[in-house]
Amino acid sequence: MSVTAQSVWNNCLEFIKDNIQPQAYKTWFEPILAVKLSENSLSIQVPSKFFYEWLEEHYVKILKVALTKELGETAKLVYIIKMENTYGNKQPFTERIPSSNRTAVKAQDVDIPLNNKSPELRNPFVIPGIRNVKIESQLNPNYNFENFLEGDSNRLARSAGLAVASKPGGTSFNPLLIFGGVGLGKTHLAHAIGVDIKDKYPEKTVLYISAEKFTQQYIDSVKKNNRNDFIHFYQIIDILIIDDVQFLSGKTGTQDVFFHIFNHLHQNGKQVILTSDKAPVDMQDIEQRLLSRFKWGLSAELQSPDFETRVSILKNKLYRDGVEMPDDIVEYVAKNIKSNIRELEGAIISLIAQSSFNKKEITIDLAKQVVEKFVKNTKREVSIDYIQKIVSDYFQMDIDTLQSKTRKRHIVQARQLAMFFAKKLTKASLASIGSQIGKRDHATVLHACKTVDNLSTTDKQFRKYVEDLSKKLSV
Ligand code: ADP
Ligand code: MG
């Protein structure tokens, strides 16, 4: 049998496959193509510079062993970075020949047709000086639909996500806004949509970014005087995913630039996916024109998962990690940790760790100890009823008075304080707080929060109220 690049590489792969985790093999080795063999040097093609760096950092030893077995001591591995979506001139952007004879890198480019001829695309993800760069999607392949379990709490958001993934830009869910409390799966779902799109439409440019990083990049671009490059970069994205947009609150410059990018993408049929810890009506200090854009598409809420969903999330995690655990223990954990999937996973992980480090069997008692620590460490959420009771006791009035329509100053203030603390200490929306505290609307609650903020900086007596009540309400 003649020796070809393919046959040499296949033998290497067989060896590598036996020696690393299946997931890692799939992620880092399956995408590689063997392209050329000349004497003792094998050229493999990898999809990005990042990929090359990752291989060099994590798998260089095993690659060397495998290749030496095939081609002898003088074996050489050459990486060819074949990038999708590169842009600009055709010179290789980097050539790296390390001092050892082990690796050499040569980059090749492929042009993507862009409708304008601007000479250079500045990619804020990349250190300046490197010219032709593929836009890395920044997606985490571990956050996919397969391991995003379905339940009543996430059905709408999940199916909207799937719809968007199968027809990005082509549904009325544009933008798709996923909102919900901490640890309920916003980031996971946002990545899953991106990962699925990448899978179905490899030619599309997908980009995931947190609103925080987006803001930093924007500020940098202003400093460096290349705000237009920043905008231009974002305007060529096909699917833009921005996580935690509530972070843009109060940042008018960033909101402004995002507004322009959003309009451009939307007009061109590109898909925008956003996540937020609040519903649009409850977002504060976000410009109205931007808020109204958020409402153009679909806002889908992720709610706290019910018991069954919590059990299946845990079981799925255990299964994926190859750990066995008795059902009653899984159910015990699911029953006691309710509001946050991240904590749910955290509790199971520490349970596994406890049992393996201390060589203890996983028992209900051990589960109780672990769960107790979790429940204690996480601040218990106070209820709006409880807040109303504490506030009315403090001002020596009853709850009916607190909720009444009167405009007497001290009652109005008590009511405003109750609203303020409800906003601060619960995850309830402004609308829901309003309806629970004397059937007011969300604007009244918003006004109350602002008034309390103002008064507590200008009025000493009032500040004392806030401090006293904070102490009483701290759990
Ligand atoms: P958020 O961004 O809303 O704070 P994350 O997306 O970071 O929450 O989710 C927290 C953790 O819970 C992650 O490890 C995620 O994988 C897991 N998770 C959330 N929802 C689900 C789900 N439906 N199925 C499986 N795991 C989930
Ligand atoms: Mg998140």
Side-chain angles (χ1 to χ4, degrees):
M1 207 181 78
S2 72
V3 178
T4 62
Q6 195 58 52
S7 70
V8 169
W9 183 237
N10 284 349
N11 292 343
C12 290
L13 283 182
E14 229 165 88
F15 174 77
I16 292 167
K17 196 173 188 171
D18 279 343
N19 284 287
I20 68 173
Q21 297 288 328
Q23 185 60 44
Y25 178 80
K26 216 173 152 194
T27 311
W28 299 109
F29 290 92
E30 281 187 0
I32 297 177
L33 294 177
V35 287
K36 204 171 112 204
L37 181 68
S38 54
E39 289 177 53
N40 56 354
S41 121
L42 175 70
S43 304
I44 58 171
Q45 179 183 313
V46 298
S48 67
K49 178 164 163 287
F50 173 72
F51 215 96
Y52 145 73
E53 286 169 350
W54 188 273
L55 289 172
E56 277 286 276
E57 203 178 317
H58 296 88
Y59 299 109
V60 72
K61 279 209 187 105
I62 194 163
L63 277 165
K64 184 166 189 184
V65 174
L67 204 63
T68 312
K69 267 170 49 140
E70 294 302 308
L71 301 176
E73 278 303 321
T74 54
K76 235 167 108 179
L77 184 64
V78 178
Y79 294 94
I80 297 175
I81 303 176
K82 175 130 183 179
M83 302 197 280
E84 312 158 20
N85 297 355
T86 51
Y87 181 75
N89 74 30
K90 291 200 168 164
Q91 295 301 307
F93 77 87
T94 165
E95 185 152 352
R96 229 174 272 182
I97 303 171
S99 49
S100 80
N101 68 352
R102 194 186 60 223
T103 47
V105 183
K106 194 166 192 294
Q108 288 191 346
D109 316 301
V110 180
D111 276 346
I112 47 162
L114 272 173
N115 46 15
N116 65 27
K117 286 214 170 80
S118 86
E120 198 176 307
L121 173 66
R122 257 184 233 161
N123 178 338
F125 288 91
V126 162
I127 319 99
I130 298 178
R131 278 267 211 63
N132 305 321
V133 278
K134 171 185 141 85
I135 297 171
E136 288 285 348
S137 65
Q138 322 280 326
L139 290 165
N140 177 350
N142 296 320
Y143 282 160
N144 50 46
F145 273 114
E146 213 173 301
N147 59 26
F148 188 81
L149 297 197
E150 183 172 351
D152 286 343
S153 54
N154 63 33
R155 188 158 291 122
L156 170 69
R158 190 176 187 280
S159 21
L162 281 167
V164 164
S166 56
K167 254 177 116 188
T171 67
S172 51
F173 308 154
N174 198 11
L176 174 63
L177 173 72
I178 301 160
F179 70 96
V182 255
L184 294 182
K186 300 182 294 292
T187 298
H188 186 145
L189 182 55
H191 277 277
I193 299 170
V195 168
D196 202 22
I197 294 176
K198 257 315 226 189
D199 205 34
K200 291 189 172 113
Y201 303 94
E203 77 289 357
K204 289 207 190 279
T205 310
V206 181
L207 182 71
Y208 166 91
I209 184 161
S210 66
E212 186 174 359
K213 197 157 176 199
F214 180 85
T215 306
Q216 281 164 10
Q217 289 181 350
Y218 171 66
I219 293 169
D220 280 354
S221 82
V222 173
K223 259 191 222 143
K224 294 190 188 125
N225 227 342
N226 53 19
R227 182 174 180 274
N228 286 342
D229 293 328
F230 173 85
I231 297 176
H232 175 61
F233 172 80
Y234 276 93
Q235 285 180 339
I236 64 154
I237 306 292
D238 296 315
I239 289 94
L240 179 61
I241 306 171
I242 302 203
D243 203 359
D244 290 319
V245 288
Q246 76 277 356
F247 186 82
L248 301 182
S249 289
K251 303 190 172 64
T252 45
T254 316
Q255 285 180 36
D256 200 46
V257 81
F258 178 58
F259 179 77
H260 290 291
I261 292 168
F262 178 93
N263 286 341
H264 182 93
L265 294 178
H266 199 272
Q267 274 159 21
N268 288 285
K270 307 299 173 66
Q271 179 72 46
V272 178
I273 297 155
L274 308 167
T275 80
S276 162
D277 68 354
K278 293 180 197 67
V281 291
D282 292 321
M283 288 184 201
Q284 288 178 24
D285 297 320
I286 300 265
E287 286 174 52
Q288 207 50 47
R289 56 177 189 166
L290 200 51
L291 274 185
S292 84
R293 295 294 190 276
F294 290 176
K295 295 178 199 158
W296 275 0
L298 175 74
S299 303
E301 183 170 13
L302 288 176
Q303 291 161 334
S304 300
D306 56 25
F307 176 70
E308 277 74 35
T309 313
R310 298 201 294 276
V311 170
S312 38
I313 289 175
L314 286 181
K315 287 196 171 160
N316 184 265
K317 171 144 189 66
L318 289 167
Y319 174 77
R320 275 186 288 126
D321 292 353
V323 177
E324 287 190 27
M325 197 177 286
D327 279 358
D328 57 336
I329 292 181
V330 174
E331 282 166 19
Y332 179 83
V333 174
K335 196 177 254 162
N336 286 282
I337 299 183
K338 293 178 189 152
S339 60
N340 182 323
I341 299 171
R342 194 175 294 130
E343 277 167 16
L344 198 61
E345 289 185 335
I348 278 288
I349 291 166
S350 43
L351 197 51
I352 296 169
Q354 283 278 336
S355 87
S356 59
F357 292 150
N358 304 331
K359 305 233 170 345
K360 282 191 205 160
E361 212 190 319
I362 303 183
T363 59
I364 278 281
D365 273 343
L366 187 60
K368 273 188 186 145
Q369 286 171 27
V370 168
V371 165
E372 215 163 85
K373 284 206 195 89
F374 263 82
V375 178
K376 251 192 220 146
N377 283 340
T378 60
K379 253 190 159 185
R380 205 155 29 91
E381 194 180 310
V382 295
S383 70
I384 294 178
D385 283 346
Y386 179 73
I387 292 170
Q388 296 190 79
K389 177 157 175 2
I390 296 292
V391 173
S392 45
D393 283 355
Y394 179 75
F395 289 109
Q396 295 168 343
M397 59 179 77
D398 51 36
I399 292 186
D400 286 343
T401 314
L402 180 105
Q403 293 184 344
S404 69
K405 302 272 176 224
T406 172
R407 291 180 176 274
K408 282 191 188 130
R409 197 172 118 95
H410 73 286
I411 298 173
V412 172
Q413 283 191 346
R415 190 162 56 235
Q416 289 178 329
L417 280 161
M419 290 174 172
F420 170 83
F421 281 107
K423 183 67 212 156
K424 196 166 158 196
L425 302 176
T426 75
K427 292 193 194 89
S429 65
L430 293 171
S432 142
I433 293 170
S435 78
Q436 291 179 67
I437 307 184
K439 299 211 170 48
R440 305 304 208 280
D441 64 9
H442 84 273
T444 310
V445 181
L446 192 57
H447 176 71
C449 294
K450 287 195 176 142
T451 309
V452 172
D453 268 340
N454 286 339
L455 283 180
S456 51
T457 53
T458 54
D459 180 333
K460 230 174 154 188
Q461 175 63 52
F462 198 84
R463 183 161 52 233
K464 176 99 173 45
Y465 295 157
V466 174
E467 283 164 6
D468 287 351
L469 285 166
S470 293
K471 276 190 207 121
K472 286 184 191 295
L473 284 165
S474 69
V475 272

